[in-house]
Amino acid sequence: MVALARKMLLREWRRFLPAILTVCFAAMLLLVQAALVQGIFGSAAVYVTASAGNLWAGYPGTQSVSLGHPIGGDVATLMAMDPEVDAVDPLLFVDGYWRAKHGGDVEVYVSGVDLQGHGLVFHKLLTPALRQRLMEPGAVIVDRSDLDQLGAQVGSYGRIDGYPVHIVAAIAGLRALGGVNMITSWNTATGLDHTAGYTTYWVARIRDSGKAAQVAQRLNHHSDFGPYSVWTSSAFARRSQLYWLLDTGAGVAVLFLAAIVLLSGVVIASQALMAVVAGSAREFATLNALGVGVRALRWVVLELAAWVGGLGLLLGGGLSAGLLWLAHHNDVPVAMSPAVAVVCALSVMLLAVISGIAAMRALLRADPALLLR
Amino acid sequence: MSTTAPVFSLEADSISKSFESGAVSIQVLRRFSVSVRPAELTLVAGPSGCGKSTLLSILSGLQAADEGRVRALGQELSGENSRTLERFRLKHTGFVFQGFNLFSALTALEQVELPLGYMGLSRADIRQRARQALDEVGIGHRGSMRPAQLSGGEKQRVAIARALAKRPQLLFADEPTSALDAVSGQTVIDLLRRIAVDHGTTVLCVSHDPRLIQRADRVLAMEDGVINRDWRPGDTGSRPGMHSDDHTGALPFQGDRR
Ligand SMILES: Nc1ncnc2c1ncn2[C@@H]1O[C@H](COP(=O)(O)OP(=O)(O)O)[C@@H](O)[C@H]1O
Ligand SMILES: [Mg+2]
């Protein structure tokens, strides 16, 4: 069987280039946009995703990590009593204003971590050396890309709501959404906020991470410990990201843009494909005269579209990977989860297939009776 | 469907065909009848626009007549749906057109193999048939060439091989020489005739080119949708037509001058 579609593509790739490039650009737009959205809104959950806990206990109805309220210390006891729970650490979340040198205040989110605890909170960011440096009273760690905004360098002294602090390190991966994240010791954080005996979150690690949802549900069934809720870390992270995605209207904008990209992709790619098919209309018509069914010819067009989609996706995917790598190395917040990548790829293939179906109209011009005129 | 071996492999009985062109309707064929024999090259000759191509498309099952009946290889084509006609064409017919219609991406061998792939033949069978067909039309050595590397005459021979490799019982050619120079044209028409004789194929060729007349076994001179004359150029005298319609009278035809 002569692989007509493949041979046409291989030997006449120039004819298909407009369609392939269209798919490539659509793939790039979708992927880069998705990566930016995930990168930016992913930072809304950096506290969760950079930590090692499986469960988070916080004030009931908390929409996003940075919007927490104090909960009681006895929730930690409750969590620690569960046989599955293996370690519990607090996270004290304090909101404040950094007084920038050259005027203007910068909103800062201070995360106070327990340096004597199990090291669950910001497990992925805090090396033992960094923990050591946080021991110093007033020591804070910031994201290196936030130094400009703070008008400070590593070693700078400053004040948060009047309380003196000292930037001891600048790291990557701590960017916040709409403010500046700072990590401090629990003691420094309590110095900023005097709700003694309270914390914002309790973070727990369990022995079998597969049981997270089950344990969270079990822990939520004790009403006599004051107001609190327990979420699995993945649920809490998703909740935080979705809150910002929806609250800022970015979610709708992103979907709208994706729809426009796909729609214009279909229009352009189908036109380009149709031109190719119409350019071979006489040959297709001759095949039909020789008895090759219209159905089989449609399959050839669909196969062409699938190849165009696959090649465009490969090209677009490769270019996007390069772009995202560059962005990442320049501290632009980007991230890509496998699930989102698959959704983007499927959308692009769908674009190609729909274009192929639209391009089948060009086969109408391949009526063999027309060859005889 | 009849099972008796027919004397005629193609028969049109009182077919009519008209086209709507805007407000006017052009009647191309009116109660037209014709019968064609196997193992010979039948040429329908006549000026442009007289309805030759329309006749060919109806006889080959590419187009339906408005009225009348068409029998090909003893099978009734009139009234069949397009799927059935496609299946019939796949099994029994080959086509050669004026414009070659070869895929620019494919080599000569692949052009010939392509339709065979839809006939349910084995890979080895396809390859063998394609090579044999290319050899038979005399361009076996050009099998790896693409259309851009072939001359017009060679391209038409690839197109003939593409039709021939299907081993059709019916071979239709519409102006197969009109895009070719005189020498290539002769080669092509001789090839078509040899296929008829060697394989017992019914070859129906329509053309406005009067140079083909002396190469055909039988010539039907057509004008304005009517056959004026029906004769065998090889014979000393003109034989009467073998069908009994009333258009076989010996009216002069422009191509009959030599
Ligand atoms: N699909 C069609 N629609 C309208 N007119 C047609 C169509 N096909 C053929 N005709 C007309 O029918 C007449 C005969 O055409 P055709 O059979 O192609 O003649 P020939 O092949 O002898 O040159 C011409 O006048 C042509 O314009
Ligand atoms: Mg014609």
Side-chain angles (χ1 to χ4, degrees):
Chain A
M1 192 85 183
V2 176
L4 179 58
R6 194 142 41 87
K7 297 225 150 107
M8 284 177 81
L9 217 108
L10 214 63
R11 295 181 189 161
E12 300 180 318
W13 57 272
R14 263 168 251 263
R15 292 171 74 195
F16 295 91
L17 206 53
I20 293 174
L21 288 181
T22 302
V23 175
C24 166
F25 283 129
M28 274 176 72
L29 284 170
L30 285 186
L31 285 167
V32 169
Q33 187 190 231
L36 279 170
V37 165
Q38 289 178 90
I40 292 168
F41 291 92
S43 58
V46 64
Y47 323 95
V48 181
T49 51
S51 296
N54 309 91
L55 297 176
W56 281 63
Y59 197 82
T62 301
Q63 297 279 12
S64 175
V65 186
S66 56
L67 300 174
H69 292 290
I71 55 172
D74 42 2
V75 177
T77 320
L78 170 68
M79 290 176 104
M81 268 160 29
D82 191 286
E84 272 297 326
V85 172
D86 151 57
V88 182
D89 274 346
L91 166 59
L92 178 56
F93 203 86
V94 184
D95 224 328
Y97 283 90
W98 166 275
R99 170 67 36 86
K101 252 192 216 137
H102 313 291
D105 288 349
V106 179
E107 186 166 15
V108 294
Y109 308 121
V110 178
S111 300
V113 304
D114 180 7
L115 297 173
Q116 274 79 50
H118 304 87
L120 298 182
V121 179
F122 289 119
H123 171 83
K124 290 173 192 155
L125 296 179
L126 293 180
T127 60
L130 288 173
R131 286 182 179 279
Q132 191 59 44
R133 262 183 270 173
L134 284 179
M135 299 279 192
E136 176 196 330
V140 301
I141 294 174
V142 298
D143 189 277
R144 63 180 180 212
S145 61
D146 285 332
L147 286 172
D148 278 350
Q149 201 184 341
L150 297 171
Q153 289 114 40
V154 175
S156 292
Y157 289 85
R159 282 174 183 277
I160 296 173
D161 296 336
Y163 187 90
V165 293
H166 174 207
I167 298 176
V168 295
I171 60 175
L174 188 59
R175 269 203 153 176
L177 194 63
V180 170
N181 273 331
M182 291 186 172
I183 304 177
T184 70
S185 68
W186 171 268
N187 289 338
T188 304
T190 46
L192 285 164
D193 182 26
H194 303 283
T195 41
Y198 286 88
T199 181
T200 325
Y201 300 103
W202 290 105
V203 182
R205 185 177 61 203
I206 58 177
R207 290 176 222 284
D208 177 1
S209 59
K211 289 189 181 156
Q214 194 188 322
V215 178
Q217 204 178 14
R218 188 158 68 213
L219 289 172
N220 272 327
H221 280 293
H222 302 269
S223 52
D224 43 348
F225 279 84
Y228 75 93
S229 272
V230 179
W231 308 277
T232 64
S233 51
S234 54
F236 195 38
R238 198 170 331 114
R239 190 182 167 96
S240 301
Q241 289 165 4
L242 276 181
Y243 170 77
W244 284 102
L245 208 57
L246 299 177
D247 185 66
T248 56
V252 179
V254 161
L255 288 180
F256 186 68
L257 254 157
I260 286 183
V261 166
L262 287 176
L263 200 69
S264 48
V266 164
V267 170
I268 301 171
S270 66
Q271 290 293 322
L273 266 176
M274 211 184 296
V276 177
V277 176
S280 299
R282 298 190 137 264
E283 289 74 40
F284 282 118
T286 304
L287 283 185
N288 186 229
L290 289 170
V292 178
V294 173
R295 247 183 220 221
L297 298 180
R298 289 214 176 109
W299 267 112
V300 174
V301 175
L302 209 59
E303 200 190 328
L304 279 173
W307 278 107
V308 162
L311 288 175
L313 188 59
L314 214 65
L315 198 63
L319 288 173
S320 303
L323 269 179
L324 294 181
W325 182 85
L326 263 181
H328 180 73
H329 279 259
N330 287 283
D331 286 333
V332 178
V334 288
M336 180 58 74
S337 74
V340 172
V342 166
V343 167
C344 286
L346 286 180
S347 309
V348 169
M349 283 313 285
L350 189 71
L351 179 168
V353 167
I354 291 175
S355 305
I357 290 170
M360 283 177 191
R361 267 189 304 154
L363 282 180
L364 292 178
R365 279 183 242 173
D367 177 2
L370 300 181
L371 293 171
L372 301 161
R373 287 213 275 160
Chain B
M1 214 186 284
S2 152
T3 46
T4 56
V7 182
F8 298 112
S9 42
L10 268 179
E11 291 166 284
D13 183 15
S14 261
I15 54 170
S16 299
K17 182 79 183 174
S18 54
F19 292 106
E20 310 293 331
S21 174
V24 288
S25 162
I26 319 163
Q27 180 101 33
V28 182
L29 301 172
R30 177 181 287 119
R31 298 186 59 75
F32 183 100
S33 299
V34 70
S35 304
V36 183
R37 282 206 161 107
E40 61 181 29
L41 170 61
T42 304
L43 175 71
V44 177
S48 279
C50 73
K52 305 183 298 296
S53 295
T54 305
L55 174 64
L56 180 134
S57 71
I58 292 171
L59 288 178
S60 61
L62 288 180
Q63 217 171 57
D66 299 336
E67 297 168 23
R69 294 169 51 172
V70 175
R71 285 165 74 82
L73 305 173
Q75 185 175 341
E76 195 79 33
L77 294 188
S78 19
E80 287 296 354
N81 64 25
S82 61
R83 291 281 295 282
T84 310
L85 290 175
E86 275 172 1
R87 231 172 297 136
F88 177 84
R89 295 202 302 267
L90 185 63
K91 216 165 153 191
H92 300 297
T93 70
F95 284 90
V96 179
F97 298 105
Q98 178 176 350
F100 322 135
N101 307 333
L102 302 174
F103 284 95
S104 50
L106 301 186
T107 66
L109 188 64
E110 288 163 351
Q111 313 271 4
V112 180
E113 288 181 338
L114 180 58
L116 300 182
Y118 294 92
M119 296 178 73
L121 301 171
S122 75
R123 190 183 275 266
D125 217 8
I126 289 174
R127 180 52 53 94
Q128 188 251 330
R129 275 197 192 199
R131 286 205 186 285
Q132 194 181 331
L134 283 174
D135 283 339
E136 187 166 345
V137 301
I139 48 169
H141 59 296
R142 309 283 274 163
S144 59
M145 302 285 159
R146 293 208 246 153
Q149 299 162 291
L150 298 170
S151 73
E154 286 172 326
K155 279 188 256 195
Q156 195 59 300
R157 282 193 273 167
V158 173
I160 293 173
R162 172 169 64 184
L164 181 62
K166 292 177 71 197
R167 302 199 178 148
Q169 286 162 275
L170 307 171
L171 179 55
F172 297 93
D174 188 288
E175 308 280 0
T177 61
S178 298
L180 302 177
D181 62 88
V183 176
S184 303
Q186 297 289 357
T187 313
V188 162
I189 195 74
D190 289 346
L191 202 49
L192 290 175
R193 176 153 185 277
R194 220 183 60 220
I195 289 167
V197 174
D198 290 356
H199 300 279
T201 311
T202 306
V203 180
L204 181 69
C205 177
V206 310
S207 178
H208 72 274
D209 185 354
R211 291 174 304 185
L212 303 186
I213 287 171
Q214 67 199 97
R215 306 271 165 170
D217 294 304
R218 178 185 172 204
V219 179
L220 304 170
M222 187 169 174
E223 204 157 358
D224 291 333
V226 171
I227 288 175
N228 289 330
R229 200 177 154 209
D230 176 354
W231 80 103
R232 307 185 72 85
D235 296 358
T236 36
S238 198
R239 236 169 44 178
M242 43 274 301
H243 51 79
S244 55
D245 66 44
D246 51 8
H247 305 306
T248 44
L251 292 175
F253 168 60
Q254 51 162 36
D256 190 28
R257 265 187 245 110
R258 280 149 288 108

